[in-house]
Amino acid sequence: MPGVTGLIGLVTDFVLWFNWFVLSYFLLLNTVQLVIILIAATDVGSSIRWAPNNGFDELFANPLTPGVTIVVPAYNEATGIAQSVRAMLNVRYPLHEVVVVDDGSTDDTFETLRRTFGLVPVQRVPPGRIPLIGSVRSVWAAGTGEPLTVVRKHGAGRRSDALNAGLNYARHELVCMVDADSILEVDALLHVAKPFVDDPRHVVGSGGAIRAANGSTIERGRVTDVRAPRSWLVRIQILEYLRSFLLGRTGWSRLGGLLIISGAFGLFRKDLVYQVGGLDPQTMAEDADLVATLHRYLRERNRPYRLVFVAEPVCWTEVPQTRQVLARQRRRWSHGLGELLWKFRGLIGNPRHRTLGMVTLPFYLLFEALGPVVEIAGLFCVVAGLLLGLLNWPFVGLVALAAFGYGILVSIAAILVEELSYHRYERWRDLLVLVAAAVVENVGFRQAHSWWRLKGLFAAARGRPAVWGEMPRVGFAPDPIEQDGAAPVAAPVVAPVVAAVRGELVAHA
Amino acid sequence: MITLGTGFTSWVLIPLSVLICLLVVLAAVARSVRTVRSRRRRLRQERVRPYLFELIDGEHPDDLDPSGMRALDVLALDLLPQLRGADRENLRGFLADRGLVHRARRQLFSRRSAVRAEAAEMLGSAGDPGSAPMIRELLLDRDPRVRICAARALGRLGDAASTGDLLTSVTHPTRPVPSGVAAMAVLRSGVASAPALRDRLAGPDPVLRALCAELLGHLGDLDAVPDLIAMLAHEADPQVVAAAARAAGRIGSPQASVALLHALGTVPWPDARAAAVWSLGAIGDPVAVEGLAQALHDDEQGVAAAAAGVLADLDPQRLAEVDCCLNARMLAAAALSGASVLTPALVGGSA
């Protein structure tokens, strides 16, 4: 039976070839990650060296420091919204306001805000004209006199639509997009705004580092004691945030190819966001979409620009605590990435778009989007190889050890950089936990993660409509004011017009 | 069947494991060293802190060992920017006696940019007026971070003689100092820098003209009002007109009301008109009421909304007119942004 023998030979060759391909792929992926971490380490080292001369006090005292509008989209965020908004209002910055967009919440999100900040209805003409899907129902201002506006709108199931509504009501020249479940450190805004002051001609956007708050102690809107939580699922995510979101983005920023400024904490020039028509409501990856749109818009007009990532400012966020919620989040991210790469396919490999087109987007296509495909297919091939007797267990074990070992090395390198720079986790136990997480994530988590991402990618490939969905929160410790149940002030409803337009005056001042 | 020999283990797995262990050990060592160092530093600073108060009182300690003196230097440098008057002079005298000022002057010419920047910052904090000419040279440093530190240091020195250099550095074609940083430095020099700013209101560069106008407004320089009025009437650059309008409002002189009203009615740039509205509100001159009422019908809704606010403050009797205008504007804005239905809450006040 020469035909069957030939077929078996072909299958054998393919399985062997593919196994070597998968191994090479992971070696290359980890090498690229390691290089990015090393590049990030030099950048982090430089920023640590210059930290004593950062001049934040001057930036804070400077009347010409650009004002910032913090836009917070909120959908069913009653558990933590009061703490988050309180922290945002209390950040150290000379001129800022907070615009919360209640995107059709069905829980007590708005009531919590109304009670905590004594909200009163106001009439306000939105300065922006970005089209919305869900119409605005009402606009409220804090009766406490704090620079807080709450926009209630009909939910469209799109975070980007809520952000666009907030952008329309933004009155300052910089807009900062922050998730409702996030807590900003007191100097976070000064850190991300500094690049705009230091290089006003070129900087059009900056992003800040995001860290997982689960397990840490939060009091009055401040993270007071940073520690690793008990759940391994969350511990692994802490490591992921460190490796990919902190050092990865620092490295890409240094290379001039930053693609993602996280939607959880990003600062942009408002005029440019208006010029590109706000965020695209049709995409799930609205944060990366905005950055890529700005890249394309500015590059096509030959305008010099910089998009930067600042590693130091910290925005603390609550990461998913259960497998189901995490799976949903990662499917959504992968879905968004698929859409993004398709939308900006013209930029991939296009030398006109320099680092973004020639390095970043190809990297995201080959390793972020196609990574789960290769990983899952690789697993199938290994099983097939074992069943066909082409591979033996010692071989598979040794190769797996090498592949995982390299991944662990990359993660430990990220932990070392963190230890030499920001060292947020002060306890010895937490250091050991992070090291252990670098090992544990290879057994089960990576494979499940690949599966979730693969499902998201398929959903994007089939053009399935993106669904934002709800992410259940455990929430932070209750705000003492809210807990006491005392509304801070009586609502001064005498002249909502005057209250509203005074805000306009501040913006022009 | 593929097999891997001991070579794979020896050449791949063992080195990989060793490398991983090495990195973990490095992380642990880094943490230990940091913990021990910070504890030692804290203890040393606690030991010498009482001497710091003696220093502020003008008494120099003579019973401290070299490491204690170094700790005292650090504490003195940290505290210096927060002090004024005799206390500051005493600390500055101590630092000069210790040779730190002299050393910092030398370090201004170091090859390492971080050292140059730190030296400039230190001299600025120490308020050493003799170093101003040397720091001014750093405004053209090749490293932008050093230029920023130099500008800040000049501001801390309060050296009005540096105003010209600071302003020129903003528009340098290849090595500019950020306008916000230079502006803050000029502001720290106070009213002594106003003449230099007024001189540049008629300069060729619109960026500089706008910046000077803004700064004169922040300084509240009454002498600049005639120049600002002239700019409102004749300036062709929208940013400059807006800056002149804001400056006039900050100064608050009713002399500028007519010029602002004229600008509100004639200039084609919405930002400049909005700035004129804000300034009329800041001045609070009743003569502006009719002009503001006309601005309620401005083509730009932001200008009209700002006018409504100012008018409501200046003349409460016109609240009904303002309210009506705002409602119309909001309906227009909602229509533009795609909202098809406005609930009564928008115009009535209940959710």
Side-chain angles (χ1 to χ4, degrees):
Chain A
M1 300 273 283
V4 175
T5 312
L7 188 65
I8 290 173
L10 271 178
V11 171
T12 305
D13 287 348
F14 175 77
V15 169
L16 289 176
W17 173 84
F18 196 73
N19 274 297
W20 284 117
F21 166 73
V22 171
L23 182 64
S24 313
Y25 179 88
F26 282 104
L27 287 178
L28 186 61
L29 168 63
N30 283 316
T31 304
V32 173
Q33 283 192 333
L34 194 60
V35 169
I36 289 173
I37 286 175
L38 291 176
I39 292 169
T42 60
D43 205 55
V44 166
S46 168
S47 59
I48 296 281
R49 214 169 25 254
W50 284 81
N53 303 321
N54 54 28
F56 288 133
D57 289 339
E58 304 250 344
L59 192 62
F60 180 64
N62 192 340
L64 276 83
T65 298
V68 173
T69 298
I70 302 176
V71 181
V72 189
Y75 176 69
N76 287 354
E77 300 277 1
T79 35
I81 189 76
Q83 283 259 43
S84 296
V85 173
R86 173 80 61 209
M88 290 169 203
L89 287 169
N90 290 343
V91 292
R92 186 167 164 251
Y93 198 79
L95 181 62
H96 77 290
E97 62 166 356
V98 178
V99 177
V100 179
V101 183
D102 177 15
D103 194 30
S105 296
T106 52
D107 69 353
D108 282 344
T109 300
F110 175 73
E111 269 309 304
T112 304
L113 287 170
R114 196 183 63 77
R115 203 170 52 242
T116 310
F117 298 100
L119 297 180
V120 293
V122 293
Q123 300 177 32
R124 186 169 293 172
V125 179
R129 292 178 175 184
I130 302 171
L132 302 178
I133 297 173
S135 58
V136 172
R137 294 168 58 197
S138 56
V139 184
W140 301 68
T144 53
E146 290 162 294
L148 169 67
T149 302
V150 177
V151 179
R152 298 192 81 186
K153 69 181 279 288
H154 293 287
R158 306 276 171 157
R159 183 176 175 275
S160 41
D161 196 52
L163 282 167
N164 282 338
L167 289 170
N168 278 341
Y169 285 88
R171 292 179 303 205
H172 296 311
E173 58 188 288
L174 300 178
V175 285
C176 182
M177 300 171 202
V178 182
D179 277 352
D181 60 331
S182 300
I183 294 223
L184 295 184
E185 290 219 332
V186 70
D187 277 344
L189 218 48
L190 284 174
H191 276 93
V192 283
K194 191 169 183 292
F196 289 89
V197 176
D198 288 352
D199 191 3
R201 297 181 194 185
H202 299 120
V203 175
V204 298
S206 73
I210 317 284
R211 287 180 186 249
N214 309 50
S216 300
T217 309
I218 294 158
E219 292 168 359
R220 292 181 178 268
R222 294 271 169 273
V223 176
T224 52
D225 184 19
V226 182
R227 56 199 311 175
R230 290 186 176 280
S231 157
W232 280 104
L233 198 64
V234 180
R235 287 171 173 175
I236 290 169
Q237 288 177 78
I238 289 175
L239 186 64
E240 273 189 309
Y241 272 61
L242 197 60
R243 188 179 53 216
S244 306
F245 302 165
L246 175 67
L247 297 171
R249 286 177 193 168
T250 306
W252 285 119
S253 170
R254 179 67 186 263
L255 290 170
L258 185 66
L259 177 63
I260 300 176
I261 287 179
S262 172
F265 187 31
L267 188 64
F268 297 91
R269 258 175 54 184
K270 187 178 74 177
D271 60 334
L272 279 173
V273 177
Y274 280 180
Q275 281 171 33
V276 299
L279 291 105
D280 181 356
Q282 302 305 328
T283 178
M284 291 297 282
E286 71 284 339
D287 42 9
D289 187 273
L290 177 62
V291 174
T293 303
L294 287 172
H295 270 296
R296 184 169 61 184
Y297 180 83
L298 294 164
R299 186 70 72 199
E300 284 174 352
R301 282 155 186 77
N302 289 323
R303 283 162 63 175
Y305 69 96
R306 280 175 63 211
L307 284 149
V308 295
F309 182 80
V310 190
E312 174 59 19
V314 171
C315 169
W316 297 90
T317 191
E318 189 186 337
V319 301
Q321 308 225 33
T322 65
R323 198 173 51 80
Q324 289 79 7
V325 179
L326 181 63
R328 206 183 309 152
Q329 183 197 54
R330 298 308 162 97
R331 277 201 302 271
R332 198 176 65 232
W333 286 3
S334 189
H335 191 158
L337 179 64
E339 288 177 343
L340 180 87
L341 290 170
W342 180 249
K343 181 176 174 182
F344 293 95
R345 59 191 180 280
L347 274 60
I348 300 173
N350 186 339
R352 186 180 178 188
H353 293 277
R354 299 188 188 173
T355 311
L356 185 82
M358 300 303 289
V359 184
T360 314
L361 282 170
F363 172 85
Y364 273 83
L365 175 65
L366 291 176
F367 294 115
E368 294 287 341
L370 297 179
V373 178
V374 175
E375 192 159 339
I376 298 292
L379 279 175
F380 277 115
C381 259
V382 167
V383 174
L386 286 168
L387 290 177
L388 292 170
L390 300 170
L391 306 173
N392 60 21
W393 280 106
F395 171 83
V396 172
L398 287 175
V399 170
L401 270 180
F404 291 158
Y406 201 11
I408 292 169
L409 181 77
V410 172
S411 299
I412 301 286
I415 293 170
L416 178 63
V417 174
E418 157 74 4
E419 198 54 43
L420 291 170
S421 52
Y422 303 116
H423 41 80
R424 290 289 179 138
Y425 293 91
E426 292 287 350
R427 290 177 176 77
W428 278 98
R429 183 177 164 276
D430 292 339
L431 176 64
L432 295 176
V433 159
L434 288 179
V435 171
V439 179
V440 170
E441 72 168 337
N442 292 293
V443 188
F445 179 85
R446 266 182 192 263
Q447 294 74 26
H449 190 208
S450 291
W451 177 243
W452 300 329
R453 287 162 63 199
L454 190 66
K455 287 169 80 172
L457 193 64
F458 276 147
R462 281 183 293 173
R464 286 182 116 188
V467 181
W468 182 250
E470 195 174 339
M471 181 173 150
R473 312 279 186 202
V474 174
F476 306 121
D479 191 314
I481 296 173
E482 189 196 341
Q483 203 172 27
D484 295 344
V489 289
V493 280
V494 183
V497 171
V498 179
V501 288
R502 282 208 177 107
E504 306 289 343
L505 298 183
V506 172
H508 287 299
Chain B
M1 183 178 294
I2 307 173
T3 53
L4 292 173
T6 50
F8 184 79
T9 311
S10 324
W11 289 101
V12 178
L13 291 183
I14 291 176
L16 200 56
S17 310
V18 170
L19 207 52
I20 290 170
C21 293
L22 192 69
L23 292 187
V24 173
V25 170
L26 265 177
V29 169
R31 170 166 292 212
S32 304
V33 169
R34 192 181 65 247
T35 309
V36 171
R37 271 190 184 170
S38 71
R39 191 185 301 141
R40 276 191 192 157
R41 194 184 312 124
R42 200 175 56 244
L43 287 173
R44 206 179 295 138
Q45 289 189 347
E46 276 171 16
R47 184 167 62 88
V48 302
R49 197 172 296 279
Y51 293 98
L52 184 66
F53 301 115
E54 287 182 17
L55 274 183
I56 293 170
D57 290 338
E59 297 169 26
H60 285 208
D62 46 14
D63 56 340
L64 268 178
D65 55 36
S67 69
M69 288 302 278
R70 281 195 296 274
L72 196 56
D73 292 343
V74 174
L75 284 180
L77 279 170
D78 282 349
L79 188 63
L80 197 61
Q82 299 163 39
L83 297 179
R84 294 289 177 273
D87 295 347
R88 183 185 172 97
E89 284 304 313
N90 287 336
L91 271 198
R92 205 175 74 182
F94 166 73
L95 293 171
D97 291 348
R98 290 273 299 149
L100 293 184
V101 171
H102 182 66
R103 193 178 70 189
R105 282 186 179 187
R106 271 190 288 114
Q107 286 175 333
L108 287 175
F109 306 101
S110 165
R111 291 181 62 175
R112 291 170 56 205
S113 53
V115 175
R116 293 197 299 278
E118 203 168 320
E121 291 271 6
M122 190 258 156
L123 290 167
S125 297
D128 177 43
S131 56
M134 285 179 278
I135 298 175
R136 278 203 287 269
E137 286 179 31
L138 291 186
L139 289 175
L140 291 173
D141 195 276
R142 63 180 179 278
D143 189 324
R145 295 170 297 186
V146 177
R147 297 201 290 272
I148 288 170
C149 288
R152 280 206 304 259
L154 288 171
R156 247 175 269 147
L157 285 174
D159 179 35
S162 301
T163 303
D165 289 315
L166 282 165
L167 293 171
T168 309
S169 69
V170 171
T171 51
H172 194 280
T174 52
R175 294 181 174 182
V177 171
S179 55
V181 178
M184 185 62 191
V186 172
L187 284 177
R188 292 189 80 148
S189 302
V191 288
S193 58
L197 291 168
R198 285 198 298 271
D199 288 346
R200 281 165 175 79
L201 283 179
D205 191 323
V207 173
L208 209 52
R209 290 203 300 277
L211 183 64
C212 291
E214 291 275 10
L215 290 173
L216 285 164
H218 281 287
L219 289 171
D221 182 42
L222 271 171
D223 293 342
V225 172
D227 292 330
L228 294 174
I229 290 172
M231 288 169 91
L232 285 169
H234 306 298
E235 180 62 54
D237 186 280
Q239 301 300 324
V240 182
V241 177
R246 279 192 295 269
R250 285 203 177 88
I251 294 169
S253 166
Q255 269 182 283
S257 296
V258 174
L260 286 167
L261 279 168
H262 182 258
L264 178 59
T266 55
V267 297
W269 312 294
D271 282 353
R273 292 203 300 277
V277 167
W278 176 82
S279 292
L280 287 166
I283 293 169
D285 191 343
V287 77
V289 169
E290 284 309 318
L292 289 167
Q294 284 175 21
L296 287 174
H297 308 288
D298 194 288
D299 291 341
E300 190 68 24
Q301 62 188 24
V303 178
V310 172
L311 201 55
D313 267 357
L314 278 182
D315 189 358
Q317 290 178 346
R318 289 191 180 246
L319 267 179
E321 191 181 340
V322 166
D323 204 33
C324 178
C325 167
L326 267 188
N327 285 337
R329 289 279 168 183
M330 277 189 295
L331 287 165
L336 277 168
S337 64
S340 54
V341 179
L342 282 176
T343 63
L346 245 182
V347 287
S350 68

